[in-house]
Amino acid sequence: MRKFLLFLIILLFPVSAYAVDITDKLSISGAATGVYQWLNKAQGDVHNKDRGSAVIDFNVSFKPTENDEFFLRASFAKGSGFHSENSGYPFKLSPNADDLFVDLQNMNGHSRDHLQELWYSHKFPIQKDISLKLTAGIIDSTTLIDDNAYAADEITQFMNEALVHNPLANLPSYDGGVAAEFEWDKFHVRLVGMRSKNDNEDMDVRHYNWFGAQVGYKLETPIGEGNYRVYAYTTNKRFENWDTDAYKALKGIGVSFDQQLIKDILGAFFRAGWQDDSAKVNYNRMYSIGLNLNGSVWGRKDDEVGVGYVYLKSPSKNEELNNSQVFEGYIKFKLFSYKSLSSDITFDYQYIRDKDRDSENTKAGNVYGVRLNFNF
């Protein structure tokens, strides 16, 4: 309890922020997010642990014209939660997908701290409801590929990385790249190219190129809006192979659907992915499902409940891991909203299970969490 109170103090006292629209062209926004999680053993070699973190995000947008935008995003964090190697966290999938202190230092092997995005975009209006947008700079592919209305924001929705995005796709973030977005009414095509870095420092080849493409359609129905996306991705032959003396390309496909079942009240999402296991990967197949319930059911439209389940299968070449499963449920309450400043609190539960090839080494645990947000 003392650690939890300390976490709240760390989060609350640095926060003195408000939304700033300096002009109609320049705006600043952001969020302060604190997370406290504790792991409780359920099965296997898992020990009870607890960790906390606090993050402040800043976004600066400058739009000199209606069709041009310069964007900057930076984050500052205190604590690394279960991301640090010395935390002793035993599972493959992180229970908090946010970028924490250890993630914001020397980002992706570059001598760059805190700066996550820095890009310029220009939109070419072609006809009514038809446009082409080009973006270049330090970008984040997760904003363009595998997006989802109910499961794509680790700050306000699910926290486990497997329910925020498809882990198979290896979606690069905060690296140099270019993107093209074509929109025609309710139809879109997105193309992304980025250059990122391998995690394995022992590899002779340090960098690889990642390419992704997504096709999506927004469907209007009597029960509400739905979004249906199909995407594919590949890299050049710069990924680690199962044989240490060779390299392979990482490639796969995925889908990301979200659909309202009761308009503005109940929605559902579905994800699935497959990738070739020629490259050395933890998983080669996955699917996830979930529901989102709006708080208008109990008279508080800014509250919400989310539940989700994900199953990930490991390739037979992986001699250690057989599969992973995650169940997560959360309930989020709006604390207050005043002008451009708002706050909410989320109570989160995760059940995480890694089944090894040797069933005697299977691990499972319960992760309980509290997340406090201030948004401006």
Side-chain angles (χ1 to χ4, degrees), residues 341-359:
L341 181 64
S342 65
S343 178
D344 53 67
I345 187 169
T346 302
F347 298 96
D348 184 84
Y349 167 74
Q350 301 176 38
Y351 174 78
I352 307 173
R353 183 173 184 263
D354 284 349
K355 182 178 181 182
D356 291 356
R357 293 291 174 187
D358 181 359
S359 60

Side-chain angles (χ1 to χ4, degrees), residues 145 166 168-171 210-214 230-235 249-255 272-279 281 283-285:
I145 307 292
N166 175 4
L168 275 64
N170 197 54
L171 296 165
W210 186 96
F211 307 96
Q214 176 173 289
V230 179
Y231 58 88
Y233 55 91
T234 186
T235 68
L250 180 71
K251 52 189 175 182
I253 58 175
V255 298
W274 170 89
Q275 71 179 0
D276 180 19
D277 59 7
S278 296
V281 294
Y283 308 105
N284 61 351
R285 298 196 305 274

